[in-house]
Amino acid sequence: MTTSASVPTGPEGAMSKDGTVTDRLVEANERYAAAFTDPGMDARPVLHVAVVACMDARLDLHDALGLELGDCHTIRNAGGVVTDDVIRSLTISQRALGTRSVVLIHHTGCGLESLTEEFRHDLEMEVGQRPAWAVEAFRDVEQDVRQSMRRVRTSPFLLHTDDVRGFVFDVKTGLLREIDPT
């Protein structure tokens, strides 16, 4: 696994003194594109699976799950929580692009365990407008995985709800622990 600490800082990876992180990413993309070859695949995942996971930077989903480019659809957000927007993406994934299975991955030490819906109130006080979205904070990661599984299984928009499984990824060991939906 490559971390930002191991990104080359020599002449080819160096940024100008005033460069931003985005400049660094764009420069990395230019190096990537120079060697890029069109893989000749379409947007339909080879394994017919969609993975919903937390956006936490410690989760390298493709390596952790043994996935290759084109194997799955990956949907990420804070907490890996199944929200209306996740249902939207899963609906498109299933109905337009052929996925049949859904894997949900939360993780240990999630930042949403330390937040509350008070976060929205604090934002309102700071910016003068309360966000329309819920924080979806939780105290029990296993219970939140169960809730996310229920949201997928009961959505009227999804065609395939029989193969929905939920897991907690341990950020210390890299292991997945399956959560019983009941």
Side-chain angles (χ1 to χ4, degrees):
M1 175 172 76
T2 302
T3 64
S4 57
S6 64
V7 172
T9 56
E12 76 178 41
M15 296 183 308
S16 66
K17 189 174 186 174
D18 297 326
T20 66
V21 171
T22 303
D23 293 332
R24 179 171 137 189
L25 299 176
V26 170
E27 290 169 9
N29 174 257
E30 289 169 359
R31 290 187 300 277
Y32 170 80
F36 183 78
T37 304
D38 180 359
M41 57 180 70
D42 68 14
R44 296 175 185 275
V46 173
L47 299 179
H48 306 287
V49 64
V51 177
V52 178
C54 185
M55 66 185 190
D56 191 294
R58 296 172 290 181
L59 277 65
D60 184 348
L61 292 175
H62 277 75
D63 275 354
L65 301 175
L67 296 168
E68 299 293 329
L69 181 67
D71 282 349
C72 72
H73 283 160
T74 306
I75 304 161
R76 295 181 80 157
N77 68 15
V81 177
V82 174
T83 61
D84 286 345
D85 194 56
V86 169
I87 293 294
R88 171 189 162 270
S89 293
L90 287 173
T91 301
I92 292 166
S93 178
Q94 287 189 358
R95 291 180 175 265
L97 298 166
T99 61
R100 302 184 62 84
S101 301
V102 178
V103 173
L104 305 171
I105 301 177
H106 286 34
H107 65 91
T108 58
C110 185
L112 282 187
E113 291 176 290
S114 63
L115 291 177
T116 66
E117 291 299 320
E118 188 69 20
F119 182 78
R120 292 174 70 227
H121 175 73
D122 294 344
L123 281 172
E124 180 181 14
M125 294 296 99
E126 181 182 330
V127 302
Q129 180 178 342
R130 182 176 287 226
W133 40 264
V135 174
E136 295 280 353
F138 52 86
R139 297 222 188 281
D140 182 335
V141 68
E142 291 184 15
Q143 182 56 31
D144 202 68
V145 171
R146 287 185 195 95
Q147 175 174 287
S148 288
M149 284 190 279
R150 277 192 301 277
R151 287 177 176 175
V152 170
R153 288 185 173 141
T154 60
S155 173
F157 306 110
L158 298 175
L159 296 171
H160 308 288
T161 59
D162 54 323
D163 188 12
V164 177
R165 294 173 63 185
F167 301 85
V168 174
F169 177 87
D170 188 314
V171 298
K172 301 284 187 210
T173 67
L175 289 172
L176 288 176
R177 180 171 34 91
E178 189 159 7
I179 304 302
D180 186 335
T182 57

